[in-house]
Amino acid sequence: TPVPATVSTNTLTGNTGAGGGLAASGSGATIATDNVFVPPIHVEGGSTGGSLSWVNPFVYYVKGAIAVDGATTLTIPAGRIVKFAQSTYLWVDGSLNVTGAAGNEAYFTDYRDDTVGGDTNGDGGATNPAAGWWGGIVGIGSGAITVDHAEVRYAGLNFGYGSAGILMGGTESLTLTNSVVKWATGIGVQLASAVTHTISGSTITGNTGTGVG
């Protein structure tokens, strides 16, 4: 359910579901650090419905496929950690702007990845992340995906468009700088759109297919 623009000074404990849960369309809401709850912030699958930014300094757990609508932008600021449930993906018809920084990178990874953001699934390390867990970042619209100082890990699930960490189609353009794409099933970065892309200062490694294809 969408929430007000700001949630602050609350105790969000003892609930069967998550302490903080957001609809995709309400995922730009601010959940202040003065709330008492156990992260992550759960984000349900669906359409963002407009331009928004994931501003909260907590891990985001994406529970269903997220679609960024055409003519809108989803911004992922520096330091944000986004973990994905199995078989989910980030679908971009509009634009995605990931604004990491050196030493404060943004991460997109498997829910079971304890190396960033801690033991989010609370299983004490009983499960391990693996390639092909989620579908990656998929640009199929006519906007732009801009990723700086970020890591994309353990993607490559094929849900009908190919297996890649980042997959570009339609007329969507990619600018990937100072970033890492690794441990995907298939191609690290697949460029299937006939537009100009820029990849510089990045490391694409450990994927089961080619680095860029």
Side-chain angles (χ1 to χ4, degrees):
T1 301
V3 298
T6 302
V7 178
S8 62
T9 63
N10 300 289
T11 299
L12 308 171
T13 59
N15 304 292
T16 301
L22 302 172
S25 59
S27 58
T30 299
I31 298 180
T33 56
D34 58 14
N35 289 289
V36 177
F37 80 107
V38 178
I41 296 172
H42 289 221
V43 181
E44 301 295 334
S47 169
T48 55
S51 293
L52 49 82
S53 178
W54 287 2
V55 297
N56 300 293
F58 305 109
V59 173
Y60 282 73
Y61 171 39
V62 175
K63 299 175 67 177
I66 299 293
V68 180
D69 293 338
T72 71
T73 300
L74 173 61
T75 299
I76 308 295
R80 205 62 66 245
I81 298 169
V82 184
K83 297 188 178 184
F84 289 82
Q86 189 173 23
S87 302
T88 60
Y89 48 89
L90 179 55
W91 179 277
V92 184
D93 274 326
S95 295
L96 174 67
N97 191 20
V98 183
T99 58
N104 196 25
E105 289 78 8
Y107 291 87
F108 301 82
T109 190
D110 185 328
Y111 180 47
R112 304 167 298 177
D113 186 356
D114 297 344
T115 65
V116 289
D119 183 16
T120 307
N121 64 352
D123 70 353
T127 55
N128 296 305
W133 174 259
W134 65 291
I137 298 171
V138 181
I140 298 292
S142 57
I145 293 178
T146 303
V147 179
D148 186 42
H149 285 97
E151 284 200 17
V152 180
R153 303 176 173 182
Y154 301 113
L157 172 76
N158 189 339
F159 57 95
Y161 289 85
S163 298
I166 299 175
L167 191 157
M168 304 301 299
T171 58
E172 194 94 14
S173 65
L174 173 67
T175 301
L176 179 70
T177 54
N178 309 306
S179 294
V180 178
V181 181
K182 61 184 179 180
W183 304 326
T185 296
I187 300 170
V189 179
Q190 184 172 356
L191 305 176
S193 53
V195 296
T196 299
H197 303 286
T198 300
I199 300 175
S200 66
S202 296
T203 299
I204 302 171
T205 185
N207 306 291
T208 65
T210 59
V212 177

